[in-house]
Amino acid sequence: RRRGAPGGQAGPRGAALRSAGAGGGAPGGRGPAAPRTRRSTEGRRALPAGGVRGVPAAEGQRGGRAQPRGPPEDGRAARLRGTEEPRLSSTTFALTGDAAHNQAMVHWSGHNSSVSTAPSTDYGTTYEKLNDKVGLKTVLSYLYVSPTNKRKIMLLSDPEIESSILISSDEGATYQKYRLNFYIQSLLFHPKQEEWILAYSLDQKLYSSMDFGRKWQLMHERVTPNRFYWSVAGLDKEPDLVHMEARTADGHTHYLTCRIQECSETKRSGPFSRSIDVSSLVVQDEYIFIQVTTGGRATYYVSYRREPFAQIKLPKYSLPKDMHIISTDENQVFAAVQEWNQNDTYNLYISDTRGVYFTLALENVKSSRGLEGNIVIDLYEVAGIKGIFLANRKVDDQIKTFITYNKGRDWRLLQAPDTDLRGDPVLCQLPFCSLHLRLQLSENPYTSGSISSKETVPGLLVATGNIGSELSYTDVGVFISSDGGNSWRQIFEEEYNVWFLDWGGALVAMKHTSVPIRHMWVSFDEGRSWIKYSFTSTPLFVDGSLVDPGIETQIMTVFGHFSLRSEWQLVKVDYKSLFSHRCTKDDYQTWHLHNQGEPCVMGERKIYKKRKPGAQCSLGRDYSQTVVSEPCVCGQGDFECDYGYERHSNNQCIPAFWFSPSSLSKDCNIGQNYWNSTGYRRIVSNNCTDGLREKYMAKMEKCPGKAPRGLHILTSDGKLVMEQGHNATFIILMEEGDLQRTNIQLDFGDGIAVSYANFSPVEDGIRHVYRSAGIFQVTAFAENSLGSDTAVLFLHVVCPVEHVHLSVPFVAIRNKDVNISAVVWPSQAGTLTYFWWFGNSTKPLITLESSISYMFTVEGMNTVTVQVAGGNTLIQDTKEVAVHEYFQSQLLSFSPNLDYHNPDIPEWRQDVGKVIKRALVTGIPDEQILVAVFPGLPTSAELFILPHKNTTERRKSTEADLEQVVEILFNALNQNLVQFELKPGVEVVVYVTQLTLAPLVDSSSGHSSSAMLMLLSVVFVGLAVFLIYKFKRKIPWINIYAQVQHDKEQEMIGSVSQSENAPKITLSEFTDPEELMDKEFECQLPVKYRMEIQYSNPTDRCCTFGNML
């Protein structure tokens, strides 16, 4: 059911918490007007040419589209009377020159006029072109009529040409043009103040005007479309207050309020402290709804009469996927909830007065998609009588129509008519056969919907449907009920649009067809008989009708074309002549509302008066329907099951398996009272008295003292990861216990704790900022005189990682483990997860450590990738490793002028490495040389001499070849013959760094004896070094040849040794040969004892030898 939005005009009343065309603004869209959901009787309207589309109008009804029967125009109507063809007074006006336009907008404005692209001041008899008043070159896109003063009209220009508005305060007689610096997408008029308007722009900005659009002021940016509302009188303190959903500077969506002239950041307020889901704000009557999703599960909150928000309580295991607010009439909420196991149906829930506790009213209600993609629930509330609803429910894969007279407590099928239009009996036995109705309202304001009723004629319903075992969309007819849905009669066998005339005292029907027509039918006896009238002499292709502008003019306007290429024809039909006089008391009769003979409906016995069948008198605006209204004695049907209770076959309300009745007292404090439910609650708006009321009414009892139980701690956004330095908000919940007499302690796990005497200060959450990263155990402790409870949460506080560097060896030995590490910046980033990818592997190795040991089994270039995940950040780095059976390496140094040009960035090091390689390769295959430049200063590098590819089978000859390449290169380096030009005038010489000659390394296992000899050599050498150090003697003939790992930064790792038993000592700095000779002492090994020596600390180079003893 759709009506005007409560916060102002031009918004759907039945709004969804998520999507489904909710919100405050009138529909947007650019260019020519198009058919849209009707948002109010005063909103803009668009009429499509060449046939009627769409679904609901506020008044009237449109039958289902069936194959035409009988003559093209006559069809079959219930007892058509008269042989002569009477004619209604009508005039036709052609919009000359508009044949090329395929859309028109028509709207009733002031006391005696309607507005279209050409306004009329004589009820639509004649029109004049607006172009003469607004300019011949002005292109219009939309028109609006003020809902509080219909003399005020606003026109919007086409934004593709200009951004301006035209304002008229005299029913369109004159216009003033005002240029805008933004493009309007939709407008929202204040429900009381005719000068106040909200405008929503194409760039999601909200503007306000207090002088009917002459001046505009920016209120807020990044506002969600259709999620802004005017204040509600009697609930909001300020009449100019605006409710809106907007994205704030933190990137999250929030519910905000502010006054239209005071909406700066300091003036705005946030009634809900946490962020909310996008497109979830609904302000409707006494209620405000929002949605918050945490951990993939949606939670809904409601504020009743602007009280603090409370969490909506659905049955525990409903687990909603989607929720839509259907109605908030009569201090109660109807909500449609799609649960976890539903796809095309919804369950209907009904709330208590505050909108907090919901109980199931009907399962598996049919849903569909509207023209704009919005969700449409097949539920219809009968106008004029409270408590009566119709719903289409899916039962065993069949759609059936049900009706309730007590707001969803009891539902039953509709009884089919006893006879058809011919008077023949209808064989239809409940529950196997019944009447089924289409319950969609029209989204086109110029057609009637498939069902309609009117408050001024309670009990009269007109609907399209069929008789059978289920709802059909092919074999349809039009049906009418005069007693609130108890009994039905068929009035047409084909598709008709049916509207109410004269406040519902008469009905007018027009055939819905693709051929031109010139007749309409009028009934004064609730559809029992019809009189055919002609309204035009020439058949008209009817596109729609505008019926009953809401005043006592008794005028309707029909729109269409005489041919598919002709101009728009606006036919004014005056049906005043149909009524002979104003109705008197003799023209009325009484009608008793009942439910299958039961006179008490919603706890009341009501008697209405209505016009006698056949009395052709006009009702008038002051027509009153109710004659008698008295309360009934309360019975079973006046009570529904309370929250947490379910109705069983014996008609008793029993607690559900998941519900503990004592839990309702958890908000109760010792010394106070609370209402203890009996399992029943009287239906909201039910006015019954006495009877079972005392038995089923909740009993007031003293609050019991309870120990804390069910303590929970969670973060406000449901996430267990928080960025360092940001506010972490903790929510503490307790299922049972005295909230006012329970002490709360919260230990944040970082050495800081807080304590509160009761729950009041923690209702909105406890905020804390972590200054360091890590995993923190957050502990909540609740205690009162009766006991205590504890809850624990582990929070990961991270510092967003910005860069990762993968540190791998340039060259590795096949089938030997190598160490690979990832260096992350900043280093104190908290708990990180590392994903390691090797080669073409499709599955990563996952670790919490920043290093990993890996064995390469394939020779050649192997790719290594690491991905580091921290919080919401994922970064990666990729490197390549050359894998061989054996290789040799040598450290290189350069002339000092290279340091001056070294920016110490990876790209520079890669380019210089290529230059050095080209300088070295003279007659040596390119793939046998690899040069890696180390980071830092002084500039140094490592030269790798690699074997030929696929040389495993001829190992010995290749080793000899490799030794020959090494000798050639080293001779050139030692003679300073290797140099390169970095840039013009900058010649760089490459040197061999002493103490760096690496041995021939491989992965074979035949060197155990050599390793033993080397170990013994280490012992003797260590003893020699100790003696040298002891007597402080210098022995100049000692030199060291060793393979080293350069470890200035963690950016890269050097070569890998062939011996696992060889001691590894890391060098962090390399000295020139001259500087090395000036040390306190020198260590030199014979060339024949080649070993790999790595120093663990640059200050302990020689001490390490002594320690090795």
Side-chain angles (χ1 to χ4, degrees):
R1 191 172 67 88
R2 303 284 185 199
R3 297 197 329 196
Q9 303 298 328
R13 186 181 188 85
L17 292 187
R18 299 190 53 79
S19 73
R30 310 310 308 167
R36 295 188 178 271
T37 303
R38 180 175 182 176
R39 296 182 178 265
S40 74
T41 57
E42 288 78 15
R44 60 187 166 194
R45 296 178 173 179
L47 177 64
V52 178
R53 302 178 55 210
V55 197
E59 303 160 5
Q61 166 279 337
R62 176 184 130 191
R65 184 183 289 267
Q67 293 298 321
R69 302 178 184 177
E73 184 180 338
D74 293 335
R76 283 186 184 272
R79 292 187 297 177
L80 297 178
R81 306 190 300 192
T83 57
E84 298 182 359
E85 180 179 279
R87 179 181 175 86
L88 290 173
S89 174
S90 64
T91 58
T92 302
F93 186 87
L95 297 181
T96 307
D98 287 332
H101 293 83
N102 63 356
Q103 292 183 337
M105 292 178 292
V106 184
H107 202 290
W108 290 99
S109 56
H111 295 290
N112 63 347
S113 64
S114 66
V115 175
S116 67
T117 52
S120 170
T121 58
D122 52 9
Y123 300 105
T125 303
T126 60
Y127 294 81
E128 58 179 319
K129 270 188 172 292
L130 278 177
N131 300 75
D132 300 333
K133 300 179 180 181
V134 303
L136 293 175
K137 295 184 178 180
T138 301
V139 180
L140 304 178
S141 60
Y142 288 104
L143 71 87
Y144 294 86
V145 178
S146 170
T148 53
N149 183 354
K150 295 186 178 181
R151 295 177 60 86
K152 293 188 174 183
I153 302 169
M154 180 179 295
L155 304 175
L156 302 185
S157 66
D158 190 338
E160 295 183 1
I161 299 176
E162 62 177 338
S163 179
S164 62
I165 59 175
L166 296 100
I167 298 173
S168 174
S169 299
D170 51 12
E171 299 185 52
T174 60
Y175 285 89
Q176 294 81 42
K177 190 172 185 178
Y178 298 87
R179 295 194 178 275
L180 304 175
N181 58 1
F182 63 96
Y183 294 96
I184 294 177
Q185 178 173 320
S186 62
L187 296 178
L188 182 66
F189 293 88
H190 194 279
K192 302 292 184 182
Q193 300 290 334
E194 62 185 58
E195 297 285 320
W196 295 0
I197 307 175
L198 296 178
Y200 187 75
S201 69
L202 289 175
D203 55 354
Q204 297 189 331
K205 295 179 181 179
L206 187 64
Y207 296 83
S208 64
S209 174
M210 301 187 73
D211 55 4
F212 202 73
R214 293 170 178 84
K215 297 178 183 178
W216 296 92
Q217 178 176 326
L218 177 63
M219 291 187 63
H220 203 287
E221 299 179 349
R222 301 181 298 274
V223 177
T224 306
N226 296 328
R227 299 293 171 170
F228 48 92
Y229 308 83
W230 281 111
S231 61
V232 179
L235 296 174
D236 296 299
K237 296 180 180 179
E238 299 88 5
D240 63 342
L241 187 75
V242 176
H243 305 263
M244 72 181 80
E245 177 188 300
R247 192 172 70 255
T248 54
D250 60 3
H252 298 290
T253 302
H254 291 268
Y255 163 38
L256 305 173
T257 60
C258 66
R259 303 181 68 175
I260 56 177
Q261 298 296 320
E262 300 177 1
C263 204
S264 62
E265 187 172 355
T266 57
K267 297 290 186 179
R268 293 192 294 263
S269 62
F272 190 74
S273 60
R274 297 148 57 189
S275 61
I276 66 175
D277 290 356
V278 177
S279 296
S280 70
L281 174 65
V282 176
V283 180
Q284 193 164 304
D285 295 330
E286 292 88 354
Y287 304 90
I288 300 177
F289 304 92
I290 55 175
Q291 174 180 317
V292 178
T293 298
T294 54
R297 181 178 296 184
T299 304
Y300 304 93
Y301 295 86
V302 63
S303 169
Y304 175 65
R305 299 190 65 85
R306 307 306 185 258
E307 295 175 356
F309 279 91
Q311 183 178 339
I312 289 178
K313 300 292 185 180
L314 293 166
K316 186 173 183 179
Y317 295 107
S318 64
L319 305 179
K321 296 190 298 185
D322 192 20
M323 182 175 181
H324 298 269
I325 304 301
I326 303 299
S327 170
T328 53
D329 292 340
E330 300 175 348
N331 296 319
Q332 191 172 35
V333 180
F334 263 98
V337 176
Q338 188 172 62
E339 303 189 14
W340 61 274
N341 56 351
Q342 294 177 308
N343 293 316
D344 57 351
T345 61
Y346 282 71
N347 288 348
L348 184 64
Y349 285 88
I350 192 167
S351 77
D352 60 350
T353 300
R354 295 179 59 242
V356 175
Y357 293 98
F358 282 76
T359 57
L360 182 64
L362 186 64
E363 291 183 300
N364 295 320
V365 179
K366 176 182 174 294
S367 68
S368 59
R369 289 281 180 180
L371 295 179
E372 296 181 343
N374 56 305
I375 297 294
V376 178
I377 308 297
D378 271 23
L379 176 72
Y380 180 80
E381 183 177 3
V382 177
I385 304 176
K386 65 180 181 181
I388 302 181
F389 289 82
L390 291 159
N392 282 330
R393 181 186 181 192
K394 189 175 184 179
V395 181
D396 297 331
D397 293 328
Q398 292 183 325
I399 304 299
K400 300 176 181 288
T401 301
F402 291 79
I403 190 171
T404 178
Y405 287 83
N406 51 13
K407 272 196 171 181
R409 182 195 184 277
D410 302 295
W411 297 83
R412 61 177 174 83
L413 295 168
L414 294 179
Q415 178 65 58
D418 296 328
T419 60
D420 59 17
L421 284 177
R422 303 171 185 82
D424 298 330
V426 175
L427 301 178
C428 185
Q429 184 69 35
L430 289 174
F432 310 103
C433 174
S434 60
L435 176 64
H436 309 285
L437 305 177
R438 292 162 59 181
L439 304 180
Q440 289 83 19
L441 301 178
S442 177
E443 295 185 20
N444 185 339
Y446 303 109
T447 64
S448 61
S450 60
I451 184 170
S452 63
S453 58
K454 194 173 180 67
E455 290 187 6
T456 54
V457 279
L460 189 63
L461 289 89
V462 183
T464 298
N466 66 281
I467 299 172
S469 60
E470 62 177 326
L471 180 65
S472 172
Y473 288 89
T474 55
D475 185 18
V476 297
V478 183
F479 299 83
I480 192 169
S481 175
S482 301
D483 55 3
N486 282 278
S487 61
W488 294 82
R489 292 174 283 108
Q490 187 172 4
I491 56 176
F492 294 108
E493 287 184 338
E494 298 180 71
E495 183 177 9
Y496 279 77
N497 289 303
V498 181
W499 293 275
F500 293 94
L501 299 180
D502 185 38
W503 309 99
L507 299 174
V508 61
M510 187 179 299
K511 188 174 183 180
H512 185 81
T513 177
S514 59
V515 299
I517 60 174
R518 52 186 291 269
H519 293 101
M520 61 177 61
W521 286 264
V522 179
S523 174
F524 295 94
D525 56 3
E526 299 175 346
R528 292 178 175 84
S529 62
W530 295 85
I531 305 173
K532 183 170 73 172
Y533 291 90
S534 64
F535 65 91
T536 178
S537 57
T538 304
L540 184 73
F541 289 95
V542 175
D543 296 319
S545 298
L546 189 63
V547 181
D548 193 357
I551 55 179
E552 299 180 58
T553 58
Q554 296 174 332
I555 299 293
M556 67 180 295
T557 305
V558 181
F559 317 100
H561 300 77
F562 288 137
S563 69
L564 297 179
R565 296 174 179 261
S566 68
E567 293 86 358
W568 284 93
Q569 305 293 325
L570 306 180
V571 182
K572 167 192 170 184
V573 181
D574 188 344
Y575 57 87
K576 185 184 302 182
S577 60
L578 295 176
F579 305 102
S580 58
H581 61 281
R582 178 65 68 91
C583 293
T584 64
K585 64 178 181 179
D586 296 331
D587 295 313
Y588 295 105
Q589 67 180 16
T590 58
W591 168 68
H592 296 254
L593 174 65
H594 65 93
N595 176 16
Q596 290 186 318
E598 170 57 49
C600 289
V601 176
M602 290 294 290
E604 285 183 297
R605 183 180 291 105
K606 283 193 173 184
I607 301 176
Y608 297 89
K609 69 175 182 179
K610 61 181 179 179
R611 186 168 46 189
K612 292 180 180 178
Q616 294 187 212
C617 60
S618 60
L619 296 176
R621 173 180 281 180
D622 56 352
Y623 166 64
S624 177
Q625 306 88 20
T626 306
V627 177
V628 176
S629 177
E630 59 183 23
C632 298
V633 176
C634 293
Q636 283 276 359
D638 299 309
F639 294 86
E640 61 187 356
C641 290
D642 205 347
Y643 174 77
Y645 291 81
E646 297 173 338
R647 188 175 303 278
H648 287 241
S649 56
N650 59 0
N651 210 28
Q652 299 295 310
C653 294
I654 307 298
F657 74 94
W658 51 264
F659 180 70
S660 173
S662 62
S663 64
L664 293 177
S665 65
K666 74 181 185 67
D667 296 330
C668 188
N669 304 312
I670 297 177
Q672 296 179 344
N673 299 320
Y674 78 103
W675 291 102
N676 187 16
S677 175
T678 61
Y680 301 84
R681 67 184 185 192
R682 190 172 62 166
I683 299 171
V684 176
S685 301
N686 187 294
N687 294 325
C688 72
T689 60
D690 302 328
L692 296 176
R693 181 179 180 182
E694 184 66 26
K695 176 181 178 181
Y696 288 154
M697 188 174 64
K699 305 299 187 294
M700 182 174 288
E701 297 182 4
K702 293 288 185 181
C703 296
K706 291 186 176 182
R709 190 183 69 83
L711 191 67
H712 301 280
I713 179 173
L714 61 152
T715 59
S716 59
D717 57 3
K719 299 178 180 178
L720 298 179
V721 178
M722 181 64 59
E723 286 190 14
Q724 176 185 333
H726 287 66
N727 260 324
T729 303
F730 298 97
I731 306 297
I732 301 178
L733 304 175
M734 187 170 64
E735 295 180 4
E736 290 187 8
D738 188 347
L739 298 180
Q740 296 301 317
R741 288 178 171 79
T742 299
N743 297 322
I744 299 297
Q745 297 178 12
L746 184 62
D747 188 341
F748 298 109
D750 61 350
I752 300 176
V754 293
S755 179
Y756 299 94
N758 54 56
F759 262 78
S760 297
V762 304
E763 291 179 350
D764 294 331
I766 304 173
R767 293 178 176 83
H768 182 65
V769 177
Y770 287 89
R771 301 300 180 185
S772 60
I775 302 178
F776 298 91
Q777 177 177 319
V778 185
T779 305
F781 179 75
E783 183 181 29
N784 62 21
S785 59
L786 299 176
S788 62
D789 197 7
T790 303
V792 175
L793 177 146
F794 292 94
L795 184 69
H796 292 242
V797 178
V798 298
C799 181
V801 289
E802 300 180 13
H803 178 73
V804 59
H805 178 81
L806 180 60
S807 182
V808 298
F810 299 115
V811 185
I813 298 298
R814 188 170 72 90
N815 294 328
K816 286 292 183 180
D817 286 335
V818 297
N819 290 324
I820 301 173
S821 62
V823 182
V824 176
W825 189 89
S827 59
Q828 302 298 324
T831 304
L832 303 175
T833 304
Y834 297 83
F835 301 86
W836 307 89
W837 307 80
F838 295 93
N840 295 323
S841 174
T842 58
K843 293 184 178 180
L845 299 177
I846 303 175
T847 68
L848 294 177
E849 301 294 334
S850 61
S851 61
I852 190 173
S853 179
Y854 187 76
M855 179 186 297
F856 293 97
T857 59
V858 179
E859 284 192 83
M861 299 305 295
N862 285 256
T863 302
V864 181
T865 299
V866 64
Q867 292 181 327
V868 183
N872 297 323
T873 306
L874 183 66
I875 58 177
Q876 77 173 35
D877 189 19
T878 300
K879 292 289 172 59
E880 286 188 335
V881 178
V883 179
H884 295 277
E885 290 283 344
Y886 51 90
F887 63 89
Q888 285 203 8
S889 67
Q890 171 66 45
L891 290 178
L892 304 177
S893 59
F894 307 91
S895 55
N897 58 345
L898 182 60
D899 294 342
Y900 179 77
H901 300 279
N902 183 356
D904 198 21
I905 60 174
E907 295 88 345
W908 184 89
R909 290 192 287 271
Q910 293 176 3
D911 291 337
V912 169
K914 296 176 183 177
V915 174
I916 300 171
K917 181 177 178 179
R918 288 196 296 268
L920 288 171
V921 176
T922 54
I924 302 173
D926 181 77
E927 65 272 9
Q928 286 192 261
I929 302 299
L930 176 64
V931 177
V933 180
F934 295 116
L937 295 175
T939 308
S940 58
E942 187 167 8
L943 168 64
F944 296 92
I945 302 95
L946 308 177
H948 286 288
K949 293 182 179 179
N950 304 320
T951 57
T952 305
E953 299 299 327
R954 44 193 183 89
R955 165 80 182 252
K956 292 184 178 180
S957 62
T958 304
E959 289 181 3
D961 295 340
L962 197 61
E963 290 286 356
Q964 185 178 0
V965 172
V966 171
E967 186 176 355
I968 294 172
L969 287 175
F970 287 180
N971 288 335
L973 289 169
N974 288 329
Q975 298 176 31
N976 297 335
L977 298 178
V978 180
Q979 57 185 5
F980 61 90
E981 185 179 52
L982 185 66
K983 57 192 306 184
V986 180
E987 292 287 338
V988 179
V989 181
V990 184
Y991 303 100
V992 173
T993 302
Q994 296 299 317
L995 306 176
T996 60
L997 183 62
L1000 180 68
V1001 294
D1002 58 38
S1003 58
S1004 63
S1005 58
H1007 298 286
S1008 58
S1009 58
S1010 300
M1012 183 60 69
L1013 290 175
M1014 292 176 65
L1015 181 58
L1016 294 175
S1017 301
V1018 168
V1019 174
F1020 288 111
V1021 169
L1023 180 60
V1025 170
F1026 176 78
L1027 295 175
I1028 292 171
Y1029 178 76
K1030 185 72 175 176
F1031 296 101
K1032 301 185 185 301
R1033 296 178 56 187
K1034 295 184 180 181
I1035 305 177
W1037 45 267
I1038 295 182
N1039 293 302
I1040 297 179
Y1041 296 86
Q1043 175 184 348
V1044 296
Q1045 271 194 323
H1046 197 75
D1047 197 27
K1048 292 183 180 179
E1049 291 182 10
Q1050 288 184 291
E1051 181 176 343
M1052 46 190 75
I1053 302 175
S1055 56
V1056 179
S1057 170
Q1058 86 280 14
S1059 174
E1060 295 180 355
N1061 298 322
K1064 297 183 180 180
I1065 305 148
T1066 303
L1067 278 176
S1068 295
E1069 298 178 356
F1070 293 97
T1071 59
D1072 293 332
E1074 295 81 7
E1075 182 182 355
L1076 184 63
M1077 298 300 295
D1078 295 332
K1079 294 293 182 180
E1080 176 89 19
F1081 58 91
E1082 295 177 350
C1083 302
Q1084 189 176 47
L1085 294 177
V1087 177
K1088 62 181 180 180
Y1089 296 122
R1090 293 182 178 179
M1091 62 171 54
E1092 177 185 15
I1093 304 175
Q1094 295 178 324
Y1095 295 97
S1096 61
N1097 192 305
T1099 61
D1100 297 328
R1101 295 175 188 157
C1102 292
C1103 297
T1104 306
F1105 287 151
N1107 294 335
M1108 290 167 59
L1109 292 177

